[in-house]
Amino acid sequence: MIIDKTKECNKCGICRSVCPVFLELKDEVMSPRGRISLVEALLEGDLSDNTKRYIDTIRTCIRCTRCSQVCPVGVKVEEIIQSARYKIAENLEIPGSIREIFRSTINNPEAFKAELVKSKNLQSSSDYKAPLWLLPLYFHEGTKIPELADETITEKYPEYIESKGEKRVALFVGCSMNYVHTDIADAAIDVLNKFGIDIYIPKEQICCGAPAMLLGDKEAAEEMAKKNILALKAQDFDAIITLCPNCGVTLKREYKTLVEDDIAPFTSRIMDISQFITIYMDYKAQPIKQTVTYHDPCYLRIGQEVKAEPRQILLGNSQYIEMDQAYKCCGLGCTLGIFHPEVSESMAEDKVEAILETKADVVATGCPGCIAFIKEQLEKRNIDKEVLHTIQILQKSLSGV
């Protein structure tokens, strides 16, 4: 039981030294220890879970798992917080419109695209702001839906792209790359083609389910997990490649909590594209002339322990400059940028300063959410700087650009 898990925490406070939100706010309640204490009080009947303070506290957790990694007694804080999200949803109920998006619209790629187009058109003709949940956890508070791709990745490419190579992979595209940032997926497919990799892009793949989990809709998340596991046919491929760390963490870590069956053959094949390339590909390319720095996405460096691989790619394919404290959250932080934009903006200040100190021409990172957020923060300050996915740097290098 979750109440037993909260009791495992001995309240030592070591977690406070690594929690990005606590380090920004210096508010004990907003620390991992503080959140666990609140959940414990709730479960013991000393607190209501429909208070704004409690809900806000749970929503400030960015799910990075830094706290769990340093906990001396091995408390899985993220599991406790996720259970709290489910409990909040049970007691307060998820609004019907959002529940409908999770359970019907997102599960149907054609319906999802149609809703996005409809919302974008409404947005263009008025002050209407489309529901953030249409592309959940991707857009910063107040940011309108960006330009949608004329053609989604699953529409643009055939389901199988054969190169007659030795390796075969399934590509999990993810919402942002499928509907908005198709250039990232284009770059990934181009690079894999150049390496002679056979690619499977299942038409039946849908949202990974992370947004549903974060709003506490466990039933919807379970359904998404089952559909994606079935669509990706893990047993037929050497790897299932992800381009978005949030998707990667969800498929690799969270699906095990959503599906009762043993899905080890599935989760063991989940790999970020930078991992796959550094492990399996031996190549030579002409490094681009631009200087490049790198920001570590929380869900890649911490959530999946992928930190050397992107740097190896950038070191070999660009004029690389390491950023000071590249591991620090950029500020987007899961639901943080949606429910607490003021905290998000404050955290972004440090990231922008670190970027500027490198004097690099390009900022690279491995997360579409971080890309969008960092671009937004630079533009707000009238800073003209490219922000690209790591795979786009490699594509430039292989193409001799």
Side-chain angles (χ1 to χ4, degrees):
M1 294 175 63
I2 295 302
I3 186 67
D4 298 325
K5 292 186 177 182
T6 62
K7 295 294 185 184
E8 292 173 5
C9 174
N10 61 21
K11 310 300 188 294
C12 69
I14 290 175
C15 55
R16 304 195 320 164
S17 67
V18 295
C19 176
V21 177
F22 172 76
L23 292 173
E24 185 66 32
L25 297 177
K26 301 297 190 293
D27 181 347
E28 169 63 24
V29 177
M30 297 297 188
S31 71
R33 179 175 69 178
R35 294 187 190 99
I36 287 180
S37 295
L38 280 183
V39 174
E40 192 173 8
L42 171 72
L43 294 171
E44 291 176 345
D46 297 329
L47 183 71
S48 169
D49 66 351
N50 62 0
T51 64
K52 186 177 186 300
R53 178 64 160 161
Y54 177 78
I55 294 170
D56 281 351
T57 300
I58 296 302
R59 284 174 170 172
T60 58
C61 172
I62 68 172
R63 209 173 64 135
C64 66
T65 71
R66 286 177 170 90
C67 51
S68 297
Q69 292 191 6
V70 301
C71 179
V73 293
V75 176
K76 297 295 184 185
V77 181
E78 70 278 6
E79 293 180 4
I80 295 172
I81 299 302
Q82 185 56 48
S83 294
R85 294 182 198 272
Y86 292 145
K87 187 73 173 173
I88 289 171
E90 281 177 19
N91 292 347
L92 297 184
E93 295 191 356
I94 300 167
S97 59
I98 295 176
R99 189 183 295 275
E100 178 66 19
I101 287 170
F102 285 152
R103 300 195 179 189
S104 299
T105 309
I106 290 180
N107 275 331
N108 183 328
E110 289 183 5
F112 190 24
K113 182 181 179 182
E115 191 64 32
L116 284 170
V117 172
K118 173 185 171 184
S119 298
K120 181 64 178 175
N121 290 339
L122 284 170
Q123 202 174 251
S124 300
S125 59
S126 68
D127 290 331
Y128 170 84
K129 286 183 179 178
L132 289 168
W133 312 111
L134 288 175
L135 279 175
L137 307 183
Y138 179 78
F139 301 110
H140 193 225
E141 177 82 349
T143 300
K144 294 186 176 182
I145 289 180
E147 289 304 314
L148 299 170
D150 293 330
E151 196 175 24
T152 68
I153 291 299
T154 51
E155 291 170 340
K156 182 176 181 179
Y157 292 95
E159 200 160 42
Y160 285 95
I161 303 173
E162 292 192 47
S163 298
K164 309 289 186 187
E166 294 181 2
K167 296 293 181 184
R168 303 172 72 238
V169 303
L171 180 63
F172 186 80
V173 182
C175 294
S176 62
M177 265 80 70
N178 197 34
Y179 298 100
V180 180
H181 288 292
T182 53
D183 55 330
I184 296 174
D186 285 335
I189 292 167
D190 182 43
V191 167
L192 292 171
N193 267 330
K194 283 182 166 66
F195 288 145
I197 307 297
D198 290 347
I199 311 166
Y200 172 53
I201 310 172
K203 304 291 185 184
E204 295 82 11
Q205 64 178 292
I206 56 175
C207 172
C208 67
M213 289 188 68
L214 290 165
L215 273 191
D217 194 340
K218 188 176 184 180
E219 185 179 330
E222 288 171 345
E223 187 63 25
M224 292 179 197
K226 291 172 185 175
K227 287 186 176 182
N228 282 323
I229 291 170
L230 186 64
L232 289 163
K233 301 177 182 175
Q235 67 276 8
D236 296 336
F237 299 95
D238 297 297
I240 298 169
I241 288 180
T242 59
L243 306 173
C244 168
N246 196 0
C247 294
V249 162
T250 304
L251 270 63
K252 185 184 292 187
R253 185 179 76 198
E254 305 297 349
Y255 276 17
K256 289 184 285 188
T257 70
L258 295 171
V259 179
E260 292 182 1
D261 299 335
D262 178 11
I263 58 169
F266 174 84
T267 57
S268 64
R269 285 176 169 84
I270 306 297
M271 299 182 77
D272 181 74
I273 193 164
S274 66
Q275 281 181 297
F276 181 82
I277 287 169
T278 53
I279 292 172
Y280 293 114
M281 298 296 105
D282 184 16
Y283 64 95
K284 289 184 180 180
Q286 181 64 41
I288 63 173
K289 295 179 181 179
Q290 292 170 297
T291 53
V292 177
T293 192
Y294 179 73
H295 159 69
D296 283 293
C298 295
Y299 294 160
L300 195 57
R301 182 186 177 109
I302 311 298
Q304 298 178 68
E305 299 184 346
V306 176
K307 49 190 176 183
E309 294 89 341
R311 286 172 170 81
Q312 185 174 327
I313 290 172
L314 296 173
L315 281 164
N317 294 281
S318 70
Q319 313 301 314
Y320 181 68
I321 302 170
E322 179 69 15
M323 184 192 305
D324 183 41
Q325 296 185 320
Y327 57 84
K328 289 186 70 173
C329 179
C330 65
L332 179 64
C334 193
T335 54
L336 188 67
I338 294 171
F339 296 113
H340 292 278
E342 73 289 349
V343 180
S344 188
E345 290 281 345
S346 179
M347 291 171 67
E349 287 287 346
D350 290 339
K351 183 57 62 175
V352 170
E353 184 178 334
I355 289 169
L356 295 179
E357 284 178 358
T358 67
K359 296 183 169 59
D361 301 316
V362 180
V363 181
T365 187
C367 173
C370 294
I371 289 171
F373 184 69
I374 291 171
K375 276 184 179 178
E376 178 186 316
Q377 295 304 312
L378 293 173
E379 287 170 1
K380 281 183 178 179
R381 295 162 177 81
N382 297 314
I383 299 168
D384 184 18
K385 200 177 289 289
E386 263 192 306
V387 187
L388 299 173
H389 196 286
T390 307
I391 198 65
Q392 292 174 297
I393 301 293
L394 179 54
Q395 182 194 33
K396 282 188 171 188
S397 178
L398 291 171
S399 303
V401 176

